Structures are given as structure tokens and as C-alpha cells.
Amino acid sequence: MGKTVGIDLGTTNSVVAVMEGGEPVVITTAEGTRTVPSVVGFKSNGDRLVGVIAKRQAVVNPENTISSIKRFMGHSLGEVKDEASRVSYKIVPGKNNTVAASVPALGKELSPEEVSAMILQKLKADAEAYLGTTVDSAVITVPAYFNDAQRTATKNAGEIAGLNVLRIINEPTAAALAYGLDKKANETILVFDLGGGTFDVSVLDVGEGVFEVKATAGDSHLGGDDYDNKIVEWLVSEFKKDQGIDLNQDRAAVQRLRDAAEKAKVELSGQATTNINLPYITADATGPKHLDITVSRAKFEELTADLMERVKVPFFRALEDAKLKPTEVDEVILVGGSTRMPQVQDLVKQLTGKEPNRSVNPDEVVAVGAAIQAGVLGGEVKNIVLLDVTPLSLGVETQGGIFDKIIDRNTTIPTKKSRTYTTAVDNQPEVEINVLQGERPMAKDNKSLGRFHLQGIPPMPARMPQIEVTFDIDANGILNVVAQEKGTGSKQSITITGSGNLNRDDIERMIRDAEMNAENDRKEHELREAKNDAEKLTYSTEKTLREAGDKVDEATRQRATEKIEAVRKAVNGDDIDEIKATMAQLETESHAISEILYKHVSEQADASEGKPGASNDGDVIDADFKEEK
């Protein structure tokens, strides 16, 4: 039987680790390094190069060298338009509306899964050489905000590489596993994971073998590559000012700029200035041109200031969802090579008031955590429990197009919650359950995961049937929704897989829209609620008039009917003040009718018993939807 390894398949670098003697060990590659550049290149004869040797020849062979492929996993061409302009190879349409990398040396295109599989094959071969046995299974990590398509693409890459992918786990969770393996006391930790192409912030409770994710947020298009690109853009701009030549038109020149930018970024982490000297960067009719420029850490921080602002958004969102203040976090764990930048470390100190924990290697900790999870699945590591969360709220559409949340975002899974609803009109034979996911108060602004109908509701007055809707999410993120009419036991259900794996852009758009449109949403929600209340009032008043019969005189009945029509006319419009004003007038008339009926009952009681009448009204819930306590 072969061994199982843990793999951090990174945007810039990848790492493989394994459990040996109950301890996680990072595997040294054939080149003697502990990380492998996530780069694949092809010679003119079609020979494949992976890792360090592929990265070395990228400058002279940019169109046949593929890097940062992780950013294109599970995406369509339209989704990666901006990203495609930042690499030296061509991104073209692939199969099934996906993207592919053009490789002239092969005369064909390669999917991101195929390229990633080549990197995984390199890691697999190095692990087998190190262990002296076959490697047939793996736990592979992905950013916490990878969607279902991206996770599936990663799993497919593993299978193409000849690996049985036992589990896909989130990178911050893997880092927390590595950090908290020997922790006995309970701690609240924040994992700040800024890698080559993605950024995640996760808040976890760790201790006694339990790793519970409290909240997660992130940006799967923010990482070290973006910091490199800021330097590249500046170099291109400065060179154009000086020489009048646009280096963006020369793929080989751009690749040299990328390499120089990455090196400068690393050097600026340890020194105040660095020099970028690229002789013969290009040439024109007057001869060769050279680039020689000094960049300071202050200039680098100025160029990347907008990226640092983007970093703050997921940080505060994760803490807000976890209902924590920065001071309530016990430890901050830095993950990813990009966290070595002084400005990132300074920002973390500023935001949390704490010195980041440096007890783990930011380049290796994710792979170590993946190896630990592999050990858990293989029985080598015991007494560890992982509890994840659902990233967006879940609920149903109710009358007036309102989104009623049943499970809030960042709720720990597995979870099960129920709520009871009712019908809106008399003798309603069925109801449609529209299952939604998102953060906006109106149903139309959220993502519909599925619809189903509950039929067989017996003829009853409106608001009489009791329909219980239950949301049940298991540990694998599979959502099962059941609707049952309590009186008859009639039941219907729907199972939704991958409910927590919306497209990353959709998730960010939903949350961003919720923040930007909060006031408009509040007003629209208030209007819909007012219309619902108005419809309930007209319904109850009409019902009272029908049941009262000749106990109400014609003049009173006429006034009430006119007020009902006024409310209905107001409901057809969007003036909330008019709706409330006409409702107030109808309520006054409704109260007058109630007084007439009460007086009539009292007089009857006096006449029959010769004593004051008594009323023993029960509690009445006059609402479209009733939450079950």
C-alpha cells in the first residue's frame, strides 16, 4: 500500500509533506529545496521542465513557460480577462467554457488542470524518491474562498497526476492544524494567509484536538503576484518616460521585469533600497536600451498602498462575523511568503495590537497541516476534529419577495435549523419553496439554489396551515431542505450539493452590494413589510365584516369598505407614507367595528344571564410567518 502525502499546491510555490513517526516532515525535492516553483516550461522539441529549471529558462522562452496557473483554475475566459494580461503566455478558450494555456512548442493548448497535474507529478516523484516507496494518495489544500468549480478542478488535477485525492481542505484550516497540533489550552487564533495569488483570513478556536472555524473571508485574486505587478507597471511607466518605448509589447522583456520585480520585493523586505539593473532590456533603431533604476521600500509601499487597503476588508469582515474584537484574538499566525513583507507585518500589528506568531514557517505550514490531515484520515493521527463553516446565509423567499434567513453565514457545519411558515390566501393547495443564498434582504438580489413545491395542503383559511421548513447541512457541505405541513404530514424535500461553493466573484459581489446598498435595501424592505401589513389588515377587516353580518350598520360598513379600497390603492403604489396613513384610517374604522361587536355580545349576555358579559379571547398570532421557538 502506498503512502499518503499532504500537498500545498500554491500559485507561486508548492510544497509536499508527510507524516513520519507521528510527526509531519517537509520533503526535500530532487534539487535539494523544500519548495517547488509552480512553473511548467516546454523546450522547442516538446520536452517538459517543471520547477526551478522551468523558472530559470522563462526569460528566453516566455510563451512556452506557464506560471501562476492556479489563478485560472475553474474559471471561464471572461472571468480571467484582467489576470490573463499579467502572464507571458497566452490564455485562450478551452473546453466547456473554461480557459487554457497556449503552448506553441506543443502545438496545442493545456488546461489549468493539466498544468497543475504536471506540478503534482513532480511533487509525487520527489516524495517517492525521498520515501523509497510509492505515493498513491494525497490531501491537497485550496484557498478558503475557492468555489466548487475551482475545488473540482484541483481534485481533477490530482487524479490526472495519479493521486487519489482523499480530501480538499482549506489552506487556513491546514495552517491552524500545523500550529495547534500540540496545543492543550483553548485559544482563538487568526490565520492571516497572503500567498502568491490568494488571500484568506480565518478565525478559529483551537484546543484539545478541536479545530473550529468561526469565520472566514478573503480575496482569491490578491497575492504576491499583484505586488510584483505593481513594480512591473511602475518600471514600464518609468522606462516609457525615459526612452519612449512600451516594454509591454515585448514578452521577453516583461518576463525579465517580472523576475526583477519579484527579486526586488524580496530584497526590500530586508533592506531600505534595491537596484534593478537590466542591461539590453530592448532595442530600437538607435541601438540597445538598458534599464537601471533604484527603488526604495517607501516607493514600493506607495505603489502597493491600494493592495494594503484591500487586505483590510476581509480582515475586518472575518472578525465581525466571528463577533470578536481584534484584542480578543490570542494569536495571529502569518501564512504565505508574502507575509514576510514588512508592510504586511506592520499592518497586522496595527490591526491586532499583537506581535504576529513566527513559530511556523509561512512557506511550509500549509503543507504540514495537509500532512496532518492525511494522518488523521489514515489513522496515524487521532483525536482531532475539524469543524468548518458555511460562507453565506441560507433561507427562503417569503411573501413580498423578502429573503428570510434560516442559517446565517459563518454558521458552523454540520447544522440543522427549522422555521414554521403559513399560507397567504384562503384554500391555498400548495406553496413554492425557493431556497436562497446571500446577504441581501430581498430575494431577487440573492442566489437561488433550487425550488420545489409542497402540495397536498387541505383547504383552510389563510394563515391557518403550519408549514415547517428545515435546513440540514452535513459535514461535507451538502444541504437538504425539507418542507412539511404539520396537519397532514405532507412532505417534500430537495438536496443541494455544493451549496456553499458559489463563484468567488458572486460571493464578494453579494457582500459588497449588501454594504453599498444597505440604505436602499432597508427602505425597500420597509416598503414590502408595510405592504404585507396592509394586506393583512384589509384581509382581517373584510373577514370581520363578513362574520358580523347585520350587526354592523350600513353606514359603518360603507366607511370601512371605502377605507379598505383606499389601502389597496396605496398598496399598488410605492409611497410608504400613504400606505401607513390609509392603514391608520382603516385601523380606526376596524376598532370601531370591534367595539360595536363587543357591545353587541355584552348586551346579549346581559339579556340572557342578567349580568355583565365576559369575553375570553385566546392569543391570536396575526402574521404571515411565525418563527418556531
Side-chain angles (χ1 to χ4, degrees), residues 400-453:
I402 294 172
F403 174 40
D404 189 41
K405 296 178 183 178
I406 295 179
I407 296 178
D408 288 326
R409 77 170 186 261
N410 281 319
T411 296
T412 301
I413 58 175
T415 187
K416 184 176 182 179
K417 292 188 179 181
S418 299
R419 188 164 292 171
T420 301
Y421 301 91
T422 187
T423 55
V425 298
D426 292 337
N427 303 320
Q428 190 170 330
E430 65 176 55
V431 292
E432 182 183 64
I433 311 295
N434 182 15
V435 182
L436 299 164
Q437 185 173 41
E439 303 306 323
R440 302 285 295 276
M442 306 311 299
K444 63 182 174 59
D445 298 318
N446 296 293
K447 175 76 173 180
S448 177
L449 301 179
R451 298 171 183 262
F452 66 101
H453 289 80

Side-chain angles (χ1 to χ4, degrees), residues 221-248:
H221 292 285
L222 175 62
D225 284 358
D226 297 286
Y227 289 80
D228 296 345
N229 284 326
K230 290 292 184 179
I231 299 177
V232 171
E233 290 169 3
W234 179 67
L235 292 174
V236 169
S237 174
E238 291 299 300
F239 192 80
K240 190 170 184 179
K241 287 179 189 175
D242 185 41
Q243 300 290 340
I245 299 173
D246 184 2
L247 292 177
N248 278 324

Side-chain angles (χ1 to χ4, degrees), residues 500-530:
N501 295 322
L502 288 174
N503 180 278
R504 173 66 182 84
D505 294 335
D506 286 343
I507 293 175
E508 282 303 306
R509 177 183 55 78
M510 289 174 183
I511 296 174
R512 189 167 57 248
D513 287 352
E515 294 169 349
M516 292 175 60
N517 297 287
E519 181 61 20
N520 289 337
D521 287 339
R522 184 193 64 77
K523 290 180 179 178
E524 184 171 4
H525 187 270
E526 185 180 355
L527 177 62
R528 293 300 177 91
E529 289 285 10

Side-chain angles (χ1 to χ4, degrees), residues 301-315:
E301 292 178 358
E302 176 190 331
L303 294 172
T304 58
D306 62 320
L307 299 180
M308 299 307 296
E309 288 300 314
R310 284 175 61 186
V311 164
K312 294 178 183 179
V313 177
F315 174 86

Side-chain angles (χ1 to χ4, degrees), residues 534 538 559-573 578-579 581-583 585-586:
T538 57
R559 284 198 307 273
T561 301
E562 290 174 356
K563 298 295 189 298
I564 289 172
E565 291 304 316
V567 171
R568 283 184 171 150
K569 182 178 178 181
V571 166
N572 288 332
E578 184 180 357
I579 293 173
T582 55
M583 281 179 63
Q585 294 174 3
L586 180 56

